[in-house]
Amino acid sequence: MWSWLLRFLRWVEEITLGPRSLQTSEHRNPSEAPSAEIFFARSDVVEKTPSNDAVRPGQFISVMHKGRPYWALFRCPCGCGDVVSLPTHPPHNPRWRIEVSVEGRPTLHPSVWRTKGCLSHFWISEGRVYWCDDTGVEPWRARSDLYERKI
Ligand SMILES: [Zn+2]
């Protein structure tokens, strides 16, 4: 009786874990692997929103207005050159939250998924950029794919 149960559990483990491990190895792309490099070495706090031309690659700018976060600006880490500007102040939805590590490196919540241009989808954590598997795909298309796969 117990050996049968054990065999059954092993079988369940195989069918539930098998396809998942296959999927990660099949869909992994070196460009999507977590980047070990520090892309944003520090977060520059300014009071006036700079022009896009003034944003240097690798520079993370946090605009503060009356001591409160207002905007985050940086050049897209994919290298396309576009300036990404994100609202960090309350009336905006969605809005992003910036945390700065002891080393002064920025962490951004939630992830950034560009809806135009390169359509990059990434996380910034302690100045490092982590690419999502669906980067380069339109957010609405990826979501409908996900929906179709479920049904
Ligand atoms: Zn880009």
Side-chain angles (χ1 to χ4, degrees), residues 83-135:
V83 170
V84 178
S85 45
L86 307 167
T88 53
H89 52 292
H92 278 268
N93 193 17
R95 66 171 184 272
W96 280 261
R97 197 157 44 85
I98 304 168
E99 277 170 29
V100 178
S101 69
V102 221
E103 298 90 352
R105 299 200 300 261
T107 292
L108 202 61
H109 297 284
S111 69
V112 177
W113 201 341
R114 300 199 60 217
T115 54
K116 54 188 177 191
C118 63
L119 304 169
S120 282
H121 189 194
F122 55 89
W123 290 88
I124 298 173
S125 181
E126 300 204 354
R128 296 169 204 271
V129 176
Y130 297 90
W131 295 96
C132 300
D133 284 352
D134 45 18
T135 188

Side-chain angles (χ1 to χ4, degrees), residues 74-87:
F74 52 87
R75 289 210 185 258
C76 179
C78 92
C80 67
D82 286 358
V83 170
V84 178
S85 45
L86 307 167

Side-chain angles (χ1 to χ4, degrees), residues 30-48:
S31 68
E32 292 159 4
S35 152
E37 276 176 54
I38 295 166
F39 195 84
F40 299 103
R42 61 176 210 277
S43 172
D44 292 334
V45 177
V46 297
E47 283 190 354
K48 241 182 105 185

